[in-house]
Amino acid sequence: MAFTLQIGEKAPDFKLPATDGKTYQLSDFDDAEVLVVFFTCNHCPYVLGSDEITRQTAEKFMPRGVKFVGINSNSANTHPDDDFDHMVERMKTHQFPWIYLRDESQEVALAYGALRTPHFYVFDKDRRLIYTGRGIDSPKDPSKMTVNNLEQALEEHLAGKPVSVPLTNPIGCNVKWEGKDAHWMPPEACDLVFN
């Protein structure tokens, strides 16, 4: 079985606390035409480099019924900056247009097969996966960006077309797994084939 969720598979449910003081589950986003779930964190240079591009994409597509949910699954023991208090602080500072959830048990990261930060998953109205991978091709330095795969996938889907590139390699730092070396990857994730 593949580590990462496959195209066409249903979004796994979750019930996680958010920086706004509420707890959210998948059904709380039932009204979204498209749901973008992405694994992110507070410190990774690839996240910090591309967050404003992600913000622009979120703001561009929100009026068309697209909702964004960020999930931080990183172990705070591996990287103390990734704890919940720092998440709350980060959202206060940046006012990102997404819900920011804490997956302390890392169960949600395992259910989705999150590999890196950031790692994006785009689900259609029926919550089937239509795109997964990177947001852009140069998240650490967006000035070198040549393609915004996330935006392309959203545009194509909302225009009623199939997503032309449904699978890309996420570019970023490894998810920081509890009790593992900071660079550890699940062995079953090492044989993934991407475009």
Side-chain angles (χ1 to χ4, degrees):
M1 199 182 96
F3 179 72
T4 297
L5 215 57
Q6 301 293 289
I7 299 300
E9 288 188 319
K10 293 278 270 191
D13 202 2
F14 52 77
K15 192 172 187 183
L16 297 171
T19 55
D20 64 7
K22 297 180 196 162
T23 296
Y24 290 86
Q25 53 196 21
L26 191 63
S27 58
D28 290 325
F29 305 98
D30 279 355
D31 58 336
E33 199 57 43
V34 177
L35 184 65
V36 178
V37 175
F38 64 108
F39 290 82
T40 183
C41 66
N42 298 328
H43 79 277
C44 165
Y46 296 87
V47 168
L48 301 182
S50 60
D51 261 346
E52 288 307 318
I53 304 281
T54 306
R55 180 202 298 275
Q56 288 164 22
T57 302
E59 287 173 348
K60 177 177 177 179
F61 288 96
M62 275 161 61
R64 294 165 73 182
V66 179
K67 288 197 172 163
F68 278 63
V69 177
I71 301 177
N72 176 8
S73 302
N74 275 2
S75 163
N77 290 323
T78 309
H79 216 293
D81 281 358
D82 280 328
D83 68 7
F84 191 72
D85 290 345
H86 282 92
M87 290 171 61
V88 172
E89 204 176 290
R90 189 157 152 64
M91 284 301 271
K92 264 191 192 136
T93 304
H94 296 283
Q95 303 284 308
F96 290 122
W98 49 77
I99 303 293
Y100 195 14
L101 303 175
R102 178 68 174 137
D103 171 30
E104 195 153 356
S105 72
Q106 303 190 314
E107 283 170 22
V108 178
L110 285 169
Y112 280 75
L115 294 171
R116 300 191 179 278
T117 52
H119 189 166
F120 293 86
Y121 296 79
V122 180
F123 297 95
D124 66 11
K125 185 74 176 148
D126 300 324
R127 297 301 173 256
R128 293 203 174 274
L129 188 68
I130 56 170
Y131 172 79
T132 185
R134 66 194 184 194
I136 59 175
D137 62 349
S138 181
K140 204 171 179 181
D141 182 3
S143 69
K144 295 190 168 85
M145 173 177 84
T146 63
V147 63
N148 185 329
N149 294 99
L150 176 62
E151 199 159 296
Q152 184 182 5
L154 290 169
E155 281 291 6
E156 288 173 344
H157 178 70
L158 291 168
K161 300 174 185 166
V163 175
S164 56
V165 182
L167 189 65
T168 59
N169 201 359
I171 303 169
C173 300
N174 291 40
V175 169
K176 306 299 181 227
W177 299 101
E178 185 65 45
K180 302 285 186 186
D181 175 79
H183 299 290
W184 183 82
M185 286 282 260
E188 61 273 36
C190 297
D191 56 359
L192 296 181
V193 179
F194 293 100
N195 292 344

